[in-house]
Amino acid sequence: MRSIKRRDFLCTGALAAGSVLFTSRIAFAGSGTRPRFVFVILRGALDGLSAVPPYADPDYARLRGEVAIPSPGAAGGALKLNGLFALHPSLAFLNECYGAQELIVFHAIASPYRERSHFDGQDVLENGCARAHAVQTGWINRALAALPAQSSARRGELGIALGQNVPLVMRGPAPVASWSPSKLAALDEDTLQRITDLYSADPLLSQRLADALATQSVAEAPQDEPMMAGADEHAPAQLLAAREQPNAKGGAPYKEIIHATARFLKSDDGPRVAVFDALGWDTHANEGGAQGQLAARLAGLDAGLRILKEDLGPVWRDTVVMVVTEFGRTAAVNGTRGTDHGTGAAAFLIGGAVHGGRVIADWPGLSARALYQGRDLAPTTDLHSALKGVLADHLQVSTRALESTVFPDSAGSKSLQGLLRA
Amino acid sequence: MADSARAAIAVNRYGLGARPGELLHAGEDPEGWLGAQLAASPPRVAGAGLRASADILSQALELRRERRAARAGDAPASADAAVVMKIGQLFRPIYVDEATARIRTALATDRPFLEHLTYFWTNHFAVSVDKVAVLGVAGSFEREAIRPRVLGSFADLLLASTHHPAMLLYLDNQTSVGPNSLLAQRAERRASERRLGINENLAREILELHTLGVAGGYTQKDVTSFAEVLTGWSIGAQFGRLPGGVPGQFTFRPEMHEPGAKSVLGKRYADDGVGQAVAVLQDLARHPATAHFIATKLARHFIADEPPPQAVEHLQRVFLDSSGDLPSVYRALIRLKESWTQAFSKFKTPGEYIVSSLRGLEIPDDYAPKAFASFALLGQRIYAPGSPAGWPDRGADWDGASAVMKRIEWADALSQKLGSHRDAASLAPQWLGAGMSTATHASIARAASASQALTLLLTAPEFMRR
């Protein structure tokens, strides 16, 4: 099926405005550069305690059990950031950025949302309000709409959604572009796994799916590797192995999206703000530790961000990438070697324009007393504060707009200062 | 079975998949909901620019005349190719418009059972656009021959289908000539090298596929004889070898018709020209083998791949007792207890899968032009069954591994486009009702995102079936 632009598809009034082809040029006040902002949504709730393990927290190893990431220096150990925090060993590029002072790690951060529904959590993350379904527009779009316009007409939109859907965060009064690859894509591993589970009681469909996957794995196998050559007893194991490597195709799962993001952001007349999302973070079972399911996903994300930097070249200097998720996961490992929906999360601010090399966290600790509702990392940093800081300092969104339209319920969320290089 | 479970069967297996609210509506009286759709005459298909078959064909015939003229002269081969291309250029957009109108109707209709029955009969009297001659008229065939008669008698449907230029072209009857016809005699006198004779394609397929069924007791002699009966059933043209009649419309050409009385299935039919075939068709329409064949196909389509014999027997009896009155047969079908015992007994064809997905998601009908390509992508290009037998109707014909995977990928792509614009958790009970499994419910509830939840709903085992 060919790609469908959302505005062809669901004509809300706001998007109908996208048919106005000439939008005003935006002047980013007070800077000679043109800032780029990339917002990455990790849907499904990233386990911040694995992505950014607080290895020195006295309760960490005990709570996390077999999903705990070994301390820095141990075999497969985490990548040390400071005396308390480290990065998951899969996040090599982020670690380099940290060393280059281009990464800020946020921990125990959360949006105003305090329940544990993915859909509502993502809604709050994107709508910029205090509760789910409060409005049908997103804070990035409202921020774009609030930017001062310059009279010289230039074709094109300031924002672009990469992927087949324009996410809520990018919907609203400002016209936005969208782009997606046009051919039918293979499913992400997480969705495929869920369908496989859903088919487990259906002999026909589970067989068909298994057959299709086996065919695919053959089709995708490197030419120089003999596939199941005469080793029947090994065949099932090989298939299993193939299924357990999320990025068996090689490279980052979002490669195509990321190349496109960079292409768009580098273009002189192109958009300045890009949004894309990544699925597969809902690690309820067999999450893994230094290796395994989550590790592979983090490696894919890390590789994708590295590609973004490489593709952007000199534009990286003017770029800020914010990576967020709807909420964190339980402090303790659950009964299926995974973690359930939680509260306090981790987030990343990366880019050449970031005043990085820092962890921003008012660490509440993981003691039984410190946990939110006895189970989750307690949220101590307000995500809206961080976002307001980025929008104000990077995109030059006015304080008035930030308080009134972009984050309307956020009077109590003080903008974080100094996130960007001076 | 509780009404809620019956409602899920009514909207999914008999309808085209529930639009939100439809299941609730049907739930008050599922059988009544289906029956009410049979009451008024079928609506016309709306669509700007949909043209009559005769109009389309007369334009094509004009192009063919140019082609003949080019061939007759010293025109280069490229001129001939250019005309062939012109015919394609004429037909292709017409085909796309027709297919799009069909999708729009499927998305919008509040009589999905009637629409489903229309598909059933179009597939029963199949023409296929992979034969270029019918590319431009497959859609108008459905609109002109099938739709208006879905609530009539089987005999009327059979007659209309056989009369229609699309069927005559598809099964090559327009040039079938009786060996002793005036035209054949004339050709013989002129010692023409071109041997004129019958083409038995249409006669055979009517017996095998439209009426008696392959085991219906006819012989090759019956086929040949019936083909002679059908000679002269042709299409009007202004020019060419066979001028006469209204261009592009059904025309009986007495000069092509094999003279004399003929015997089909042991019955002698006097020659009264066009009426001879009409008489045969009317007898075929009420033949017990036809009743059995139609009853089997209906039961297979609406009850199960291997329908219960007692259900088939009952439908056959009603068919015969009512002289093939189709609404009587449909009512008998929806009254059968076998129709309501097993939910999700049929694996959806790709077309059924696409239509039910789009209806369930309330995709606006202006999406139809984009949905068009999905049918080919998933393996069921509209109006292209590829054979006069029509699309097959058993699960095994559709549930191959690659087909299932394609369907999943298509569903996932659609879900990602829709994302949080649809709420799978609230849609699921409106689609599947009491038929939803706890596993499907739990899977949707646990999904990591709105679009993933939609994918899981669209690919749920229940939704793969009807």
Side-chain angles (χ1 to χ4, degrees), chain A residues 1-4 6 8-10 43-44 118-119 122 164-166 168 171 184-188 190-192 194-195 198-199 202 204-205 208-209 211-213 216 279 282 284 326, chain B residues 347 363-364 367 370 374 377 399-401 404-405 408-410 412-414 416-422 439-440 443-444 446-450 452-453 455-456 459-461 464-465:
Chain A
M1 190 160 65
R2 284 179 34 225
S3 130
I4 299 164
R6 205 189 83 85
D8 293 340
F9 202 37
L10 296 155
R43 296 185 193 275
H118 288 303
F119 313 120
Q122 290 168 28
Q164 290 170 319
N165 183 37
V166 175
L168 176 64
R171 290 179 220 153
L184 274 184
L187 270 71
D188 70 273
D190 178 56
T191 307
L192 209 46
R194 287 166 192 254
I195 295 171
L198 184 54
Y199 287 178
D202 189 306
L204 178 98
L205 287 172
R208 294 295 188 268
L209 189 55
D211 289 348
L213 293 171
Q216 278 189 348
L279 273 176
D282 197 17
H284 286 283
E326 66 263 35
Chain B
F347 196 80
I363 302 297
Y367 176 71
K370 283 171 177 142
S374 296
L377 195 65
D399 65 11
V404 168
M405 187 49 108
I408 291 171
E409 287 173 353
W410 181 85
D412 191 56
L414 183 63
Q416 290 190 40
K417 276 164 197 146
L418 286 169
S420 55
H421 293 286
R422 297 293 187 280
T440 296
S443 180
I444 291 166
R446 282 199 300 258
S449 70
Q452 188 180 63
T455 299
L456 292 166
T459 59
M464 286 281 183
R465 299 177 172 93

Side-chain angles (χ1 to χ4, degrees), chain B residues 193-209:
Chain B
E193 69 231 37
R194 193 188 159 103
R195 209 176 135 263
L196 296 177
I198 58 166
N199 181 316
E200 59 180 46
N201 199 1
L202 177 63
R204 181 181 299 283
E205 303 305 16
I206 289 174
L207 294 171
E208 178 186 328
L209 300 173

